[in-house]
Amino acid sequence: MKAAVIVFPGSNCDRDVAVALEAATGQPPLMVWHRETELPAVDLVVVPGGFSYGDYLRCGALAARSPVMREVKAKAETGTPVLGICNGFQILTETDLLPGALIRNAGLKFICKDVFLRVETSESPFTRKYKAGTVVSYPIAHAEGNYFADDATLDRLEGDGRVAFRYVTEQGEATEAANPNGSARNIAGIFNETHRVLGLMPHPERLAEELLGGTDGKPMFEGLVEALS
């Protein structure tokens, strides 16, 4: 499996996800600078977390207009899987590859901690190594992770099985107390219509090896290798 990681000025998780991808694939991904106007032939594109363009104007808004994102969008529209993590999720909503928006956390503060998530479906290249209903722990680190969409969009996401992850308690209950940022219906990650574009706020790459304190994120990368190799 060949993967590309998009790098913006202000990205700070590009190397983290590159390490996780190399561990899963056995080869380093291509690191693609945001000013590139073409993408090489790859099986997966990752839009990493960080603070692209310093989060000026609106999180992800400037990065979404980088030259390379036209190519990322074109790849996604022809079926190439695209994974957007944290700021990457924000960028994918700004490019209209995913619906809704990520707005300021309900508590108006930056949050950095591990959270519990429930895997809502295994029917995607990203979640195929997880069993639906499994509770995992991923870290979050964001100030604008509050997922918002109108009720019709939320109903459509639910009805089409496009909610990928939900914030829950350790026992798997989607309670208000388990929701760290106020996201609608405790949503932590969503798919596009084909389930080949995933945006999620938590960071699977930060818990993908024992030295990092856990491996709950590792199956995501292993599943992508299985699906795309």
Side-chain angles (χ1 to χ4, degrees), residues 105 109-115 138-143 180 203 206:
N105 293 344
K109 293 182 179 180
F110 182 87
I111 305 171
C112 183
K113 65 177 184 178
D114 290 354
V115 297
Y138 290 174
I140 57 171
H142 58 248
H203 290 266
R206 293 188 181 180

Side-chain angles (χ1 to χ4, degrees), residues 133-150:
T134 298
V135 175
V136 297
S137 177
Y138 290 174
I140 57 171
H142 58 248
E144 290 85 14
N146 182 350
Y147 182 71
F148 174 84
D150 60 53

Side-chain angles (χ1 to χ4, degrees), residues 7 12-13 18-19 21 25 27 32 38 44-46 59 66 70 73 98 107 111 150 165 170 178 185 200 211 222:
V7 183
N12 70 358
C13 299
V19 169
L21 285 167
T25 64
Q27 60 182 326
V32 180
E38 294 184 7
L44 170 72
V45 178
V46 181
C59 292
S66 290
R70 289 192 291 270
K73 190 170 184 178
L98 293 172
I111 305 171
D150 60 53
F165 296 91
E170 188 173 4
R185 305 187 188 183
L200 73 160
L211 285 174
E222 293 178 336

Side-chain angles (χ1 to χ4, degrees), residues 32-33 35-40 67-68 71 75:
V32 180
W33 186 235
R35 292 182 64 86
E36 296 293 332
T37 56
E38 294 184 7
L39 275 174
V68 75
E71 287 297 300
K75 289 276 190 185

Side-chain angles (χ1 to χ4, degrees), residues 48-61:
F51 301 91
S52 58
Y53 291 91
D55 281 348
Y56 291 120
L57 181 62
R58 186 175 61 249
C59 292

Side-chain angles (χ1 to χ4, degrees), residues 14 43 61-62 72 100 135 148 158 167 171 187 189-191 225:
D14 48 329
D43 305 299
L62 295 176
V72 173
V135 175
F148 174 84
E158 301 273 15
Y167 299 111
Q171 292 72 39
I187 290 173
I190 60 170
F191 300 111
V225 172

